[in-house]
Amino acid sequence: MNRFMTAIGRRDLLVGSVGLSSLAALPGWAQGHAHRPAPGLAPRAELSGEDITLTVGRQMMTIDGKPYHAIGINGATPAPLIRLREGQRARITVVNALDEETSIHWHGLLLPFQMDGVPGISFPGIPAGGRFTYDFPVVQAGTYWYHSHSGLQEQEGHYGPIVIDPAGADPIPSDREHVIVLSDHSPLHPHAIFRRLKLQGGYFNYQKQTLSGLMAGRDQPLAERLRWGAMRMDPSDVSDVTGSTYRYLINGHGPADNWTGLFTPGERVRLRVINASAMTNFNLRIPGLSLGVVQADGQDVRPVTVDELQIAVAETYDLIVTPTEDRAYTLVAETWDRSGMARGTLAPRAGMVAAVPALRPRPLATMTDMGMGGMGMGGMGAMRHGGEAEGACPPEHAAMGHCRPAGDDPAGDDKGQGAMTHDMRDFANAPGLPRTPVVQTVAPMPMDRTGEPPQGLADVGHRVLTYRDLQSVAANPDRRVPSRALTIHLTGNMERYMWAFDGVKLNAVTAPIPFRLGERVRVTLVNDTMMAHPIHLHGHFFELVTGHGDHAPRKHTVNVAPGGMVTFDLTADAEGDWAFHCHMLYHMHAGMMQVVSVRRDPAEGAAA
């Protein structure tokens, strides 16, 4: 048995992903498998035209040579690529061959809310043995995806990519393209995963700090670790579900499967990258190649060149790479907690491989991730009293009065060093938040972190994409100043695994979040938890407030860093009821979801 397969077997035996880190040291494996067929070269099922039929059913999928239960569409997991053209009409009939209700949500597509595919909000769902035809105009171009919004089916493989070609010439020229669907899959049933999380929030965290790590200097200093312990928080608890149960996939293939995308040296290759995982943010890089970011969430952005980017759950990025050498390159999608990776290859010929880098050391949460504004345990640093770091306030924030000047803090100096030694529960009675079990912590000094590299990528030594690097190619369609501001807190209780907006879980919400049709609103999301939350609004795009004026990047999903803030301007231009939720599947399932209701002004209706 070769060393690579031994490593994978040991990984499965230990229920971890340690074996992946040994790939980089196995040149013999590459030589021994030089002629092994590359699964990624098999043609991907692609559906196009105005009338498409999708049949949802249970099936088996094979990952790294092992069988797993899954949900697929037309016999495929991930589901077939749906390729549409801007300006056409799409009629997609979904046949439910499951023994339970299902649905499909067209993630990022602008369409009538009745076609959005969220049971209980926009339509009743598709019963077992039933069918439903989605019928909508295609009004945009770009990279998107589709997935179930019923139960936890998305975790089982109920997802697929969408590519919409522009009506005219594509403004992003390329010689070849590959669609890259990243995902996570587990042998555990998703309800079993959720049950374990409810029993113990850190159930899947196999990377906790240890005494040996402390003695070796790999972990936090003892005094700081004791303070974290006093707050009953674990700085290594970055991801709820980890490589201890997940297999990480590229287009349904595990690391040993080695999905392969071909190129001819010198070609401009477009990679349409979709994070269709349930709970995993991926750090994406291709050693030896720069990544030209040209599109985010299906919207064209001014090209920006980086060496690595983090793609949060439900985001999409289009990248241009130009490999000039006649050799293979490894596509590395390392999980944000470094507990595993999805891995593939770009190569000029089938069967080629390149070195696979070892997993990097896991990140540890910091005081900034606790909403303490970048301060250490002992002092104020360069922080303002208003909770904003010096220079962290974009002009758009200042114009709306969101940034207080230095010294303008009603709490005075007492909010500084004293706060650093208090249990975070001291802040649970903050004004505007209810006293509920879902408000375990409140960030005392949240920061706009859109200009920072994502968690764990600050010190990697190369260029990392930040949200502030993104600028829209076209001027934003609505350049009005927002008429009102809305702040929403992302709250949670990790010990009881409860998540919510403003401390209220979906099942306790008494009314939707109201908007008037056509109004312009500035929305600020404040993350009071130590977990990142990719927040998705259905049926709309919004403009991130990151200092780029009328060329702000337009997105439908934004990752809010732990202890951080994100502000966006929203034009409520789609009438109806729309889901608004964290796209971490188990966070949504545990309550971090509400309904946004967009309605006409009654006075305007009467006048009409």
Side-chain angles (χ1 to χ4, degrees), residues 465-502:
L465 184 74
T466 73
Y467 279 140
R468 290 200 195 178
D469 292 328
L470 301 175
Q471 297 184 58
S472 173
V473 169
N476 300 146
D478 190 347
R479 280 157 269 178
R480 293 177 296 164
V481 174
S483 60
R484 67 181 176 101
L486 174 65
T487 298
I488 297 173
H489 287 257
L490 316 181
T491 60
N493 185 325
M494 190 63 181
E495 292 176 359
R496 298 174 63 178
Y497 207 75
M498 302 166 69
W499 304 96
F501 290 130
D502 289 331

Side-chain angles (χ1 to χ4, degrees), residues 2-3 30 45 65 106 132 141 172 218 298 439 465 528 535 567 599:
N2 76 34
R3 293 167 57 197
W106 314 100
F132 181 83
I172 302 173
R218 294 192 302 269
V439 187
L465 184 74
D528 288 318
I535 303 300
T567 297
R599 293 289 185 270

Side-chain angles (χ1 to χ4, degrees), residues 163-176:
V163 171
I164 305 177
D165 294 309
D170 196 323
I172 302 173
S174 63
D175 302 304
R176 189 192 299 257

Side-chain angles (χ1 to χ4, degrees), residues 482 520-523 541-545 567-571:
R520 184 85 165 150
V521 182
R522 175 153 295 177
V523 179
F541 281 90
F542 46 76
E543 291 81 51
L544 294 184
V545 177
T567 297
F568 60 78
D569 289 340
L570 168 69
T571 300

Side-chain angles (χ1 to χ4, degrees), residues 296 301 317 388 391-398 402-403 447-452 465-472 476 520 522-524 542-555 557-559 565-569:
V301 296
Y317 282 103
E388 291 281 347
C393 185
E396 296 92 331
H397 279 271
H402 285 183
C403 306
M447 294 174 56
D448 181 329
R449 304 183 67 183
T450 55
E452 299 178 12
L465 184 74
T466 73
Y467 279 140
R468 290 200 195 178
D469 292 328
L470 301 175
Q471 297 184 58
S472 173
N476 300 146
R520 184 85 165 150
R522 175 153 295 177
V523 179
T524 297
F542 46 76
E543 291 81 51
L544 294 184
V545 177
T546 50
H548 297 301
D550 61 5
H551 282 76
R554 306 189 73 221
K555 296 187 99 278
T557 303
V558 62
N559 195 39
M565 303 165 50
V566 168
T567 297
F568 60 78
D569 289 340

